Amino acid sequence: MEQRRQAERRGRIEGMLFSLLLFWCCSYASGQFRYSISEEVQEGTAVGNIAKDLGLDKNALKERGVRIVYGSNEPPFNRGEDRKTPSLVLEKPLDRESVKTHSLLLTAVDGGKPPRSGNMTIIVNVSDVNDNPPVFSEESYVAHLSENSAVGTTVIQVNATDLDEGSNGQVVYSFGNDVDVRAHTRFDLNPTTGVIVVAGPIDYEESSRYEIDVQASDKGAATLKTDKTIIINIIDLNDNAPEMEVTSFSKDLPEDSKPGTTVALISVKDSDSGLNGKVTCYINQDLPFLLTPSLQHNVYSLVTKNILNREQQSQYNVLITAKDGGEPCLSSEKIIPIVVSDVNDNSPEFTQSPYTFYITENNTPGERLFSVTAQDQDEGSNALISYFLMRNREGANMLTSFLNVNSETGDIAALRSFDFETVKTFQFQVVASDSGSPSLSSNVTVIVFILDQNDNAPVILYPVSSNGSAEGVEEVPRNVNAGHLVTKVRAYDADIGYNGWLLFSLQEVTDHSLFGLDRYTGQIRTLRSFTETDEAEHKLLILVKDNGNFQVVASDSGSPSLSSNVTVNVFILDQNDNAPVILYPEVPRNVNAGHLVTKVRAYDADIGYNGWVLFSLQEVTDHSLFGLDRYTGQIRTLRSFTETDEAEHKLLILVKDNGNVSLSATATVIVKVVEPKEAFAASDVKSSAKDDEETDVTFYLMITLGSVSVLFLISIIVLIAMQCSKSTEYTSKYLQEANYDGTLCHSIQYRSGDKRYMLVGPRMSLALYHFYLFYCISKVKIQSLLLLFFNLT
């Protein structure tokens, strides 16, 4: 519809433009007229008056047959309607952009015979009107721009042309009304050249694509515009490091958590695209944790890899590293602190096992004797320890009923005093229990040795004591020689060691030159023979004292000097300073299962746990063939030998004691397997040698026992005879009182090794006393012989 209206308007304009009449007034005259008319004027508009311009009137033009000659089949101009006045009329719309100038030849022909004609050229210039909008040179404009491009960087240039001329054909560029503020702040458009440049920061993560509407406008009175959309694609650069966010986190992780327990969820994102935004995460490999991808995109799970142990490490700082796939790659790190919370998985442990304490007798009841200490590697209430004594246990020492332990400190006190002469050692158990749920506990054995104090005064056995003192009367013939035994003072002390070791000293004597006292045996002997001038009666005052604790005296240098003393108890305590010594390693041959191959014998010079020896099999060529008893050291076969067994086997035996710092020794036993005949022969030889050895030992033992028995019977007979032969008068010399019954308290001292023993018994007759003395000596000897016998076997 619009095009049809435009065509009709253009036709009317052409009709009005070319209402021209060109005419020659004379046959031989010709001329050229030029008229100008605006396009698209109303139809019938006068273009020019040809008759007037030719100086003719209208009638002459008609008579002469003036006509317009067109150079085309469809002339844009014509006749007036009456053909009398030549008018150049526009027949159809003009288009300046198609034809800017029209050249017309006007011929005027008269009606004569022959007719005469004249020509005139009419040039019609079509003036421009703004009827063409600007046209862009490209159908579409697409630009690619890297993010972070500098301000002023050329993005793209648009170009539009306008077929009009003058100001109607001058094109200016501008952003369309629909362009948002963000694009305005990022880009500038040159209105003259159409160049788009960067005006602000370009961030792919803010916008990866811009669609900008650009208008091309002419400068006509009625401005015509053309819009074109410019697409700017932003090229991503790797300018964003990965970002991590912990979406779920268990800060306190129980140490007994099962492997695979989720500790935290980590969300990872990278605002870049493509490889620049592809993120991988990892943690250190030496941690007990794993970082695994979850089902959700870009979400990782931090899980436990194995069982944790708070006592080994209570806190972890897990460093998570995230890297993208850009070139160069960007990375970020995040530290996740994980605290391992405690569970009650550790029992209290005593600092020693067992405990050995030495306390002196006559301790003050209620006072702290010693203390036990246990530690728990857990924390909080799981490590809060309570102590108590294990009572009412079968075989437990009744002395534990007199002990009390502080449940918080482990201090142990006795509710009564201990007497070394009554009990010398005892042991009990202390239990340490934590406060966890459930509670865990452990126990330790406490071994207590009672140390002797010098709390017993020596007791005089002979002469007999009376009212705290002992007096004896001895008669000595005057004709005795020097060295004659006058009498022997006998005494004993209930204490042991130095406290019970008695010394005799002569405190008072009427004649020091006549009598002497042996300080160790208590024997009183004459130092010389009696003379006529010696008195008939002599009094000797004997002091018997033990060798109890010595004293250290500290004194100052003042005048007068002041001093104080302290009693020092010195006890030599055993240390584990002796390694086990291997005794008599034997290597017999064996062919039967369960047969005793050999016995590794060892001893340790220490005592108690320090000297308790255990055996263990360290190396053996065939574990299925030999077994070792850890307590006795016996090596026995576990099965019979087969044809495939090797002929020689090597066993390495480790012997170690049970000291706190264990000492050990090793023994190598070589077992050779021989043919059955040789084995039987060797077995016979060994059995024979062993039988001979046992026969010899038994023989010597029987001789010894027989000899001792004979001597014992002879001694009994001699003593009875001596007792019967003594006169009543002689016996009365040794009686202190008239009612003396002839019995004495006996005290026998003897040594075994470095130790000294004293046996004290009730009153008995002299004969029985000597009998008992000989019996004890014989008993000791027999025990020694038996001990020797067992050691040999």
Side-chain angles (χ1 to χ4, degrees):
M1 183 64 70
E2 180 65 27
Q3 292 179 351
R4 190 171 62 181
R5 286 198 298 269
Q6 187 175 2
E8 290 176 353
R9 184 172 65 251
R10 187 172 294 177
R12 288 195 298 272
I13 293 173
E14 290 178 352
M16 291 186 296
L17 268 177
F18 294 99
S19 295
L20 271 202
L21 290 176
L22 302 175
F23 184 74
W24 276 66
C25 290
C26 64
S27 302
Y28 305 103
S30 65
Q32 183 174 357
F33 296 92
R34 185 181 299 272
Y35 295 97
S36 297
I37 189 173
S38 299
E39 65 180 345
E40 299 181 3
V41 296
Q42 296 293 328
E43 292 183 3
T45 302
V47 178
N49 192 333
I50 297 176
K52 182 178 179 181
D53 292 335
L54 291 176
L56 300 175
D57 57 9
K58 298 178 182 180
N59 295 327
L61 289 176
K62 186 177 181 181
E63 290 176 356
R64 293 178 179 268
V66 176
R67 66 183 185 276
I68 296 175
V69 180
Y70 297 95
S72 62
N73 296 328
E74 296 181 357
F77 302 97
N78 54 27
R79 303 285 132 234
E81 294 181 358
D82 54 2
R83 302 279 180 161
K84 294 181 180 179
T85 301
S87 299
L88 186 60
V89 179
L90 185 62
E91 292 284 329
K92 63 178 184 179
L94 299 178
D95 186 3
R96 189 200 64 80
E97 288 70 36
S98 299
V99 180
K100 294 182 179 180
T101 303
H102 294 271
S103 179
L104 305 177
L105 177 62
L106 180 62
T107 302
V109 182
D110 59 15
K113 292 183 180 180
R116 301 289 185 183
S117 63
N119 296 324
M120 184 179 68
T121 300
I122 301 174
I123 297 175
V124 180
N125 292 321
V126 182
S127 61
D128 183 54
V129 294
N130 193 19
D131 61 341
N132 288 283
V135 177
F136 286 94
S137 60
E138 301 290 340
E139 285 294 327
S140 62
Y141 289 92
V142 179
H144 298 277
L145 178 65
S146 298
E147 65 173 329
N148 303 327
S149 295
V151 174
T153 301
T154 299
V155 180
I156 195 172
Q157 183 177 15
V158 296
N159 183 42
T161 58
D162 197 318
L163 297 178
D164 297 322
E165 65 180 3
S167 62
N168 294 334
Q170 293 181 1
V171 179
V172 293
Y173 304 93
S174 63
F175 288 133
N177 295 329
D178 295 335
V179 177
D180 58 13
V181 177
R182 185 175 57 181
H184 272 291
T185 59
R186 301 293 185 270
F187 303 99
D188 277 341
L189 175 61
N190 190 311
T192 303
T193 62
V195 175
I196 299 177
V197 297
V198 176
I202 305 300
D203 189 1
Y204 174 88
E205 289 70 41
E206 180 182 279
S207 179
S208 61
R209 174 187 174 96
Y210 291 92
E211 293 186 3
I212 302 176
D213 184 23
V214 176
Q215 286 185 348
S217 305
D218 56 28
K219 294 184 178 180
T223 302
L224 296 180
K225 302 177 180 179
T226 301
D227 294 332
K228 180 65 69 174
T229 299
I230 309 299
I231 298 175
I232 303 176
N233 292 319
I234 306 301
I235 300 174
D236 181 46
L237 297 179
N238 193 23
D239 60 343
N240 290 278
E243 297 179 0
M244 288 183 287
E245 182 181 359
V246 179
T247 58
S248 178
F249 177 47
S250 298
K251 187 175 182 181
D252 291 333
L253 183 65
E255 61 177 320
D256 62 347
S257 299
K258 296 182 179 179
T261 301
T262 300
V263 181
L265 293 178
I266 298 95
S267 176
V268 183
K269 67 176 181 178
D270 194 313
S271 300
D272 298 320
S273 62
L275 290 177
N276 296 335
K278 188 174 182 180
V279 181
T280 56
C281 296
Y282 61 90
I283 61 174
N284 295 338
Q285 296 299 320
D286 57 349
L287 295 177
F289 301 98
L290 290 175
L291 192 64
T292 59
S294 65
L295 297 177
Q296 189 176 356
H297 181 62
N298 283 341
V299 175
Y300 291 83
S301 298
L302 182 64
V303 299
T304 56
K305 183 168 60 176
N306 45 40
I307 295 293
L308 303 176
N309 190 337
R310 187 203 65 84
E311 289 69 39
Q312 293 181 356
Q313 187 166 352
S314 61
Q315 183 171 355
Y316 295 89
N317 290 323
V318 180
L319 176 63
I320 301 178
T321 303
K323 287 187 176 181
D324 60 26
E327 186 64 36
C329 69
L330 298 179
S331 63
S332 61
E333 296 178 343
K334 191 173 189 66
I335 295 178
I336 298 180
I338 300 176
V339 177
V340 182
S341 60
D342 183 56
V343 295
N344 193 26
D345 58 347
N346 289 278
S347 301
E349 295 181 0
F350 286 92
T351 56
Q352 299 180 32
S353 181
Y355 280 93
T356 302
F357 296 105
Y358 297 85
I359 62 174
T360 57
E361 61 176 335
N362 304 321
N363 56 290
T364 303
E367 284 188 353
R368 173 185 174 274
L369 297 178
F370 42 79
S371 179
V372 297
T373 303
Q375 297 175 346
D376 197 312
Q377 297 182 9
D378 297 319
E379 65 178 1
S381 60
N382 294 334
L384 187 61
I385 298 177
S386 299
Y387 303 90
F388 61 91
L389 297 177
M390 184 178 292
R391 304 182 190 272
N392 300 327
R393 187 171 59 90
E394 184 178 355
N397 197 307
M398 293 300 296
L399 289 176
T400 57
S401 61
F402 300 102
L403 298 177
N404 183 47
V405 62
N406 189 309
S407 61
E408 296 180 356
T409 64
D411 293 340
I412 297 176
L415 304 180
R416 53 164 283 186
S417 296
F418 294 105
D419 183 13
F420 175 82
E421 288 70 36
T422 302
V423 59
K424 295 177 176 56
T425 183
F426 66 92
Q427 67 182 28
F428 60 94
Q429 287 189 322
V430 178
V431 179
S433 178
D434 60 29
S435 300
S437 179
S439 177
L440 299 179
S441 62
S442 61
N443 57 69
V444 68
T445 299
V446 180
I447 303 173
V448 181
F449 293 96
I450 308 299
L451 302 180
D452 182 48
Q453 281 190 333
N454 194 21
D455 58 346
N456 291 281
V459 176
I460 305 298
L461 298 177
Y462 180 82
V464 180
S465 300
S466 177
N467 299 325
S469 63
E471 292 183 0
V473 178
E474 301 291 341
E475 292 184 355
V476 180
R478 277 188 176 269
N479 59 353
V480 298
N481 298 322
H484 177 77
L485 177 62
V486 177
T487 188
K488 181 178 180 179
V489 179
R490 294 179 176 86
Y492 84 97
D493 194 312
D495 298 319
I496 66 169
Y498 282 97
N499 295 333
W501 187 8
L502 301 181
L503 294 177
F504 302 85
S505 62
L506 192 57
Q507 299 294 301
E508 297 180 9
V509 61
T510 54
D511 190 343
H512 286 281
S513 66
L514 189 56
F515 299 101
L517 174 67
D518 189 299
R519 64 177 306 188
Y520 300 106
T521 64
Q523 292 180 350
I524 301 176
R525 293 180 181 271
T526 57
L527 298 176
R528 60 177 175 82
S529 300
F530 290 99
T531 64
E532 295 296 333
T533 59
D534 290 329
E535 296 181 1
E537 184 176 332
H538 297 271
K539 180 178 182 181
L540 288 78
L541 179 61
I542 311 300
L543 174 64
V544 183
K545 67 176 181 179
D546 56 31
N547 277 266
N549 301 328
F550 59 92
Q551 292 186 336
V552 176
V553 179
S555 61
D556 56 27
S557 301
S559 181
S561 175
L562 299 179
S563 63
S564 61
N565 59 73
V566 63
T567 299
V568 178
N569 296 318
V570 179
F571 303 100
I572 307 301
L573 303 180
D574 180 59
Q575 283 190 339
N576 192 24
D577 56 349
N578 293 282
V581 178
I582 306 299
L583 295 178
Y584 311 118
E586 299 178 359
V587 189
R589 293 175 183 149
N590 177 40
V591 292
N592 298 324
H595 182 77
L596 176 63
V597 178
T598 186
K599 179 177 180 180
V600 180
R601 295 179 173 88
Y603 78 94
D604 194 309
D606 297 315
I607 63 172
Y609 279 93
N610 294 335
W612 186 9
V613 176
L614 293 178
F615 303 85
S616 61
L617 190 59
Q618 297 296 298
E619 297 179 7
V620 61
T621 54
D622 192 343
H623 287 279
S624 67
L625 192 54
F626 299 101
L628 173 67
D629 189 295
R630 65 176 306 191
Y631 301 104
T632 65
Q634 292 181 347
I635 301 175
R636 294 183 180 270
T637 56
L638 299 177
R639 60 175 175 82
S640 300
F641 289 99
T642 64
E643 296 296 331
T644 58
D645 289 329
E646 296 181 1
E648 183 172 306
H649 297 270
K650 180 180 179 181
L651 290 79
L652 180 62
I653 311 300
L654 174 66
V655 185
K656 65 177 181 179
D657 56 32
N658 279 266
N660 290 334
V661 179
S662 180
L663 301 178
S664 62
T666 59
T668 301
V669 177
I670 304 298
V671 179
K672 293 184 178 180
V673 182
V674 298
E675 295 300 324
K677 293 182 179 179
E678 299 178 4
F680 290 140
S683 177
D684 293 340
V685 171
K686 180 180 178 182
S687 300
S688 175
K690 186 174 181 182
D691 292 340
D692 292 341
E693 181 183 358
E694 292 178 353
T695 302
D696 292 340
V697 173
T698 305
F699 176 72
Y700 292 134
L701 181 60
M702 291 176 63
I703 292 176
T704 304
L705 292 176
S707 301
V708 171
S709 299
V710 171
L711 291 175
F712 180 69
L713 292 175
I714 293 173
S715 300
I716 292 175
I717 296 172
V718 171
L719 289 174
I720 295 174
M722 291 176 61
Q723 182 68 22
C724 294
S725 64
K726 286 187 178 181
S727 62
T728 307
E729 292 80 13
Y730 179 80
T731 303
S732 63
K733 295 180 182 179
Y734 296 93
L735 296 179
Q736 179 182 6
E737 297 175 354
N739 59 352
Y740 178 66
D741 59 359
T743 62
L744 293 175
C745 292
H746 70 273
S747 173
I748 302 174
Q749 295 186 7
Y750 65 95
R751 292 181 179 270
S752 177
D754 294 335
K755 297 184 178 180
R756 181 177 178 185
Y757 299 90
M758 175 178 287
L759 300 177
V760 179
R763 293 177 179 271
M764 60 182 66
S765 65
L766 290 176
L768 291 177
Y769 173 78
H770 290 290
F771 170 76
Y772 184 76
L773 175 63
F774 187 82
Y775 168 75
C776 291
I777 296 175
S778 301
K779 182 178 180 182
V780 171
K781 296 300 181 182
I782 293 173
Q783 288 178 346
S784 299
L785 290 173
L786 290 175
L787 181 60
L788 176 61
F789 172 75
F790 287 120
N791 286 335
L792 290 175
T793 58

